[in-house]
Amino acid sequence: MKEDKQAMDTNSSADHVDEYLQTLGNEGARELRYYSQEQPFSSDEMTRLVNEERLNELLAQSDAFLSNLNGELKDFDKSTDN
């Protein structure tokens, strides 16, 4: 019985590899296969999965970085105008 299970697993894996290899040359099929594997999340699942405090920290860091970068670019523009 264990051998039958292994054979089924092997066949299943081989089938997936074969299917994947067939889609490599077909961009539309590959894109369809990619998007068909996406799983939508409900708002409850997202609330449970997302660490809101950490997300807010990251957003603040990115805002500070972009603000600093913007200031550096303005300073660079001023120095090249001379």
Side-chain angles (χ1 to χ4, degrees), residues 34-81:
Y34 174 78
Y35 287 114
S36 70
Q37 293 175 0
E38 287 186 359
Q39 297 179 3
F41 290 99
S42 70
S43 59
D44 290 339
E45 288 173 313
M46 288 302 289
T47 301
R48 184 175 52 83
L49 294 173
V50 173
N51 180 337
E52 191 172 345
E53 184 178 328
R54 180 67 179 134
L55 178 60
N56 287 332
E57 288 174 15
L58 291 171
L59 289 172
Q61 288 175 5
S62 67
D63 286 347
F65 171 78
L66 292 174
S67 178
N68 186 20
L69 182 60
N70 192 32
E72 293 292 327
L73 290 173
K74 285 181 182 176
D75 289 345
F76 179 77
D77 285 344
K78 289 177 187 174
S79 67
T80 58
D81 288 340

Side-chain angles (χ1 to χ4, degrees), residues 2-55:
K2 186 176 180 181
E3 291 174 9
D4 291 343
K5 173 108 172 85
Q6 281 182 321
M8 284 175 42
D9 289 345
T10 303
N11 289 341
S12 177
S13 296
D15 289 343
H16 289 297
V17 169
D18 186 48
E19 184 180 336
Y20 175 74
L21 291 174
Q22 289 176 12
T23 62
L24 282 178
N26 185 342
E27 188 64 35
R30 184 172 37 191
E31 192 169 314
L32 179 63
R33 180 172 171 77
Y34 174 78
Y35 287 114
S36 70
Q37 293 175 0
E38 287 186 359
Q39 297 179 3
F41 290 99
S42 70
S43 59
D44 290 339
E45 288 173 313
M46 288 302 289
T47 301
R48 184 175 52 83
L49 294 173
V50 173
N51 180 337
E52 191 172 345
E53 184 178 328
R54 180 67 179 134
L55 178 60

